[in-house]
Amino acid sequence: MQKIKIIAALTFPILVLVLWVLFLTAKSMALPEVKVRIGGYDPRDLLYGHYIAYTIDWANTDCSQFSDKTCPIKEFENYAQKALWGKQFRFYVPEQNAQELDNMFRNARGNHTFEVVYKYTSGIKPLAKELLIDGQPWREVIKSNKKEK
């Protein structure tokens, strides 16, 4: 009887965690995707750690993709990292790719368009899903750059 109680006590938190992850995954899969143009790069502080700090360029974002055909600027800003970053957002990248992405943003940003795909619906925190460079996932762009060199 004592062993059953110990096993149950150890298994219950794991089960709750697994159910919670499944719930969040299902919830995020149901959210529609929107693509926003990013800008506002600060070369002195573009990559800090393992993430890219950026602002959303609403002037060049297609607002017709949102449910009410207007850009939800205030709603996105409510979820920005205000304490440290003002109205900036973050997209996390692996450390081994940080330098190459930094170089692309600094040296060739006039030649490329940068966008972030979000899972978003009104009333729920926008979830950054993918960084796009010229419409392609950033990992593919880095792979093709390495092949060209």
Side-chain angles (χ1 to χ4, degrees), residues 70-112:
T70 58
C71 287
I73 299 170
K74 293 291 181 198
E75 195 162 352
F76 268 71
E77 287 177 356
N78 287 340
Y79 294 109
Q81 302 293 326
K82 290 182 181 180
L84 299 173
W85 300 94
K87 295 179 181 178
Q88 290 186 350
F89 297 83
R90 297 178 185 172
F91 188 86
Y92 292 86
V93 295
E95 183 177 13
Q96 65 267 20
N97 302 115
Q99 186 62 45
E100 188 166 355
L101 283 172
D102 182 42
N103 290 338
M104 288 188 74
F105 278 110
R106 285 183 196 218
N107 300 326
R109 70 173 173 218
N111 301 327
H112 298 287

Side-chain angles (χ1 to χ4, degrees), residues 2-15:
Q2 190 72 328
K3 285 184 180 182
I4 293 174
K5 287 182 182 180
I6 291 173
I7 291 172
L10 293 174
T11 306
F12 181 72
I14 295 170
L15 181 63

Side-chain angles (χ1 to χ4, degrees), residues 1 9 12 23 25 36-37 51 72 80 82 86 114 129 142 149:
M1 185 67 171
F12 181 72
F23 170 75
T25 302
V36 297
R37 181 85 55 99
Y51 55 86
K82 290 182 181 180
F114 299 95
K129 178 184 173 190
I142 287 180
K149 291 180 183 179

Side-chain angles (χ1 to χ4, degrees), residues 4 19 22 25 31 37 45 48 61 70 78 83 100 110 113 116:
I4 293 174
L19 291 175
L22 290 174
T25 302
L31 294 175
R37 181 85 55 99
D45 193 21
Y48 182 77
T61 296
T70 58
N78 287 340
E100 188 166 355
T113 54
V116 174

